[in-house]
């Protein structure tokens, strides 16, 4: 249902989310982000193969906003499909969570903010 | 047109519910965004019931009914036992969710934004959550 792959490019840590993030699978995303933020400051989330997200997935991203701000950790989501992006937009969460089109833009944004 | 589906209260079954709703809606709607939003609304209500009303007890079931009318889609989600009392639900603010690091709370907010109308009907032996959306349907 959900597969999470990770890789590192220079000082960027990339989390690839593949599949569907719902009430059943969001725990895996939660655990991965929780683990990664302990040792990395520049995090990119590759959503190219994220097919579906429900509130459980949105909640995971929301729950780290404060902690990341306090610890100066930057996280940017990239390559979201229109329908996945729409789910963030319904509640205006696209204003609170950084999201861009491409990995290159994501790297630029992480370095800029 | 009416379609129905019954599923036990296990979170891993949510994916089946989504595929069922998706298959039904694809026959009547063109917009992928609309289809995904409606699938999401049903998924959220079902997840809430499975987790909060039934503690993921696989012996309990949820029944779904999709009713496609000329210009409206109506979903009915039925369960038995102590239902989630929708009337007592108070919507949290986004700020509260961030501050309290609540991972829940966003689900019903999405349902309310997506659907035109939500009804909660409590019967003696079952509870019905009726969600309505007006759309161009073929």
């Amino acid at each position: 249902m959900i597969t999470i792959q990770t890789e590192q490019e220079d000082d960027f840590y990339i989390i690839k989310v593949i599949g569907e993030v719902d009430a059943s699978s969001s725990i895996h995303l939660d655990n991965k982000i929780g683990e990664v933020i302990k040792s990395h400051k520049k995090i990119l989330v590759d959503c190219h193969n994220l097919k579906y997200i429900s509130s459980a997935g949105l909640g995971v991203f929301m729950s780290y906003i404060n902690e990341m701000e306090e610890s100066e950790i930057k996280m940017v989501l990239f390559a979201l499909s229109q329908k996945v992006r729409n789910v963030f937009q319904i509640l205006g969460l696209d204003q609170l969570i950084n999201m861009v089109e491409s990995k290159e833009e994501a790297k630029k944004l992480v370095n800029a903010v | 047109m009416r379609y129905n589906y019954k599923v036990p209260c296990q979170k891993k079954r949510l994916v089946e519910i989504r595929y069922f709703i998706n298959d039904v809606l694809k026959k009547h709607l063109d917009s992928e965004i609309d289809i995904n939003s409606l699938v999401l609304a049903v998924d959220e209500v079902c997840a809430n019931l499975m987790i909060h009303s039934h503690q993921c007890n696989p012996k309990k079931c949820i029944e779904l009914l999709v009713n496609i009318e000329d210009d409206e889609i109506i979903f009915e989600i039925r369960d038995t036992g102590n239902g989630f009392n929708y009337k007592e639900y108070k919507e949290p603010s986004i700020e509260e969710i961030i501050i309290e690091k609540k991972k829940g709370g966003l689900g019903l907010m999405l349902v309310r934004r997506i659907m035109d109308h939500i009804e909660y009907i409590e019967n003696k032996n079952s509870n019905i959550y009726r969600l309505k959306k007006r759309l161009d349907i073929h």
Side-chain angles (χ1 to χ4, degrees):
Chain A
M1 262 235 350
I2 180 178
T3 305
I4 297 177
Q5 295 173 351
T6 56
E7 58 188 40
Q8 233 170 320
E9 282 183 26
D10 306 319
D11 55 346
F12 298 101
Y13 197 87
I14 304 171
I15 302 174
K16 273 190 194 181
V17 189
I18 300 159
E20 305 191 4
V21 182
D22 69 357
S24 171
S25 64
S26 64
I27 181 77
H28 303 292
L29 178 65
D30 197 5
N31 289 345
K32 179 53 78 178
I33 296 179
E35 173 198 317
V36 168
I37 61 169
K38 286 185 193 149
S39 47
H40 296 87
K41 296 272 184 198
K42 296 181 178 185
I43 301 162
L44 311 183
V45 183
D46 182 348
C47 299
H48 181 70
N49 285 308
L50 174 58
K51 303 295 180 202
Y52 176 83
I53 191 162
S54 76
S55 69
L58 300 181
V60 169
F61 289 116
M62 300 287 289
S63 68
Y64 289 104
I65 290 179
N66 272 354
E67 194 176 341
M68 289 194 181
E69 228 161 74
E70 285 161 14
S71 316
E72 294 183 338
I73 295 165
K74 310 295 178 199
M75 184 171 77
V76 177
L77 280 57
F78 69 93
L80 291 85
S81 71
Q82 216 188 335
K83 62 179 189 184
V84 168
R85 185 185 277 258
N86 177 64
V87 177
F88 285 88
Q89 286 169 334
I90 293 171
L91 298 179
L93 307 184
D94 53 322
Q95 305 300 312
L96 301 169
I97 294 162
N98 294 309
M99 45 187 76
V100 296
E101 296 290 323
S102 70
K103 195 200 288 182
E104 291 317 305
E105 282 172 82
K107 286 181 177 176
K108 266 188 205 162
L109 188 58
V110 165
N111 280 333
V113 287
Chain B
M1 294 281 280
R2 289 161 77 89
Y3 305 85
N4 54 59
Y5 200 72
K6 192 173 175 179
V7 66
C9 288
Q10 288 172 294
K11 285 192 277 183
K12 64 178 184 191
R13 309 295 285 264
L14 288 168
V15 63
E16 281 172 42
I17 293 175
R18 295 199 296 274
Y19 289 166
F20 163 70
I21 301 290
N22 192 60
D23 285 347
V24 168
L25 296 179
K26 269 201 302 200
K27 296 177 191 157
H28 302 279
L29 298 173
D30 293 320
S31 158
E32 254 200 73
I33 302 261
D34 285 344
I35 294 173
N36 187 66
S37 300
L38 294 171
V39 166
L40 176 64
V42 175
D43 185 34
E44 295 295 351
V45 173
C46 292
N48 250 323
L49 294 181
M50 285 181 177
I51 298 164
H52 301 297
S53 301
H54 301 294
Q55 291 75 42
C56 302
N57 177 357
K59 288 181 187 146
K60 293 275 187 173
C61 281
I62 287 178
E63 279 184 69
L64 303 172
L65 179 80
V66 186
N67 193 0
I68 313 276
E69 301 196 341
D70 293 341
D71 58 352
E72 192 170 49
I73 293 180
I74 303 162
F75 300 108
E76 278 189 9
I77 301 148
R78 289 168 184 258
D79 71 344
T80 55
N82 294 329
F84 173 80
N85 196 340
Y86 182 74
K87 283 171 194 152
E88 284 173 15
Y89 166 75
K90 283 193 190 71
E91 188 170 297
S93 68
I94 296 285
E95 289 72 27
E96 279 175 290
I97 287 174
I98 296 176
I99 293 165
E100 292 168 25
K101 296 192 177 129
K102 273 190 188 170
K103 290 188 173 89
L106 293 165
L108 280 177
M109 232 188 249
L110 283 168
V111 181
R112 289 165 79 144
R113 301 295 187 282
I114 293 165
M115 304 308 298
D116 294 329
H117 189 75
I118 304 170
E119 282 172 294
Y120 171 60
I121 304 144
E122 209 176 339
N123 295 322
K124 204 176 169 191
N125 296 315
S126 67
N127 314 297
I128 303 172
Y129 304 82
R130 188 177 290 144
L131 316 178
K132 296 183 179 182
K133 181 78 178 174
R134 286 187 169 275
L135 281 168
D136 276 336
I137 294 161
H138 56 73

